[in-house]
């Protein structure tokens, strides 16, 4: 009985903590922010990526905090 309760408790904690950590401070991933992701795409539907040169320019235009948030996500 105790092993069953420990297992259920561990599973519940991991589910709650995992979703809380994935959300970050703002509730969404840095990759979900259209304002940050738009420079990496050629169209508004964000289906076609820009060329590699433009990609590098867009990456370097981000703040170090935004770059770290994107790499973490």
């Amino acid at each position: 009985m105790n092993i069953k309760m420990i297992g259920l408790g561990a599973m519940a904690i991991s589910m709650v903590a995992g979703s809380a950590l994935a959300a970050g401070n703002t509730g969404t991933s840095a990759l979900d922010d259209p304002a940050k992701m738009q420079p990496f795409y050629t169209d508004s539907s964000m289906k076609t990526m820009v060329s590699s040169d433009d990609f590098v320019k867009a990456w370097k235009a981000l703040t170090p905090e935004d770059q770290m948030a994107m790499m973490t996500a």
Side-chain angles (χ1 to χ4, degrees):
M1 183 69 163
N2 285 337
I3 292 176
K4 189 177 185 180
M5 293 302 286
I6 290 172
L8 288 173
M11 187 172 67
I13 289 173
S14 68
M15 289 171 56
V16 171
S19 63
L21 292 174
N25 294 337
T26 60
T28 61
S29 168
L31 301 176
D32 292 334
D33 186 0
K36 291 179 186 170
M37 295 305 297
Q38 185 59 44
F40 296 99
Y41 293 93
T42 60
D43 55 350
S44 62
S45 65
M46 293 192 203
K47 300 288 181 190
T48 307
M49 301 281 299
V50 296
S51 68
S52 60
D53 291 336
D54 291 333
F55 188 92
V56 171
K57 288 177 189 173
W59 179 255
K60 288 182 179 180
L62 292 173
T63 64
E65 293 83 20
D66 288 342
Q67 289 176 352
M68 184 58 73
M70 286 183 164
M71 288 191 296
T72 302

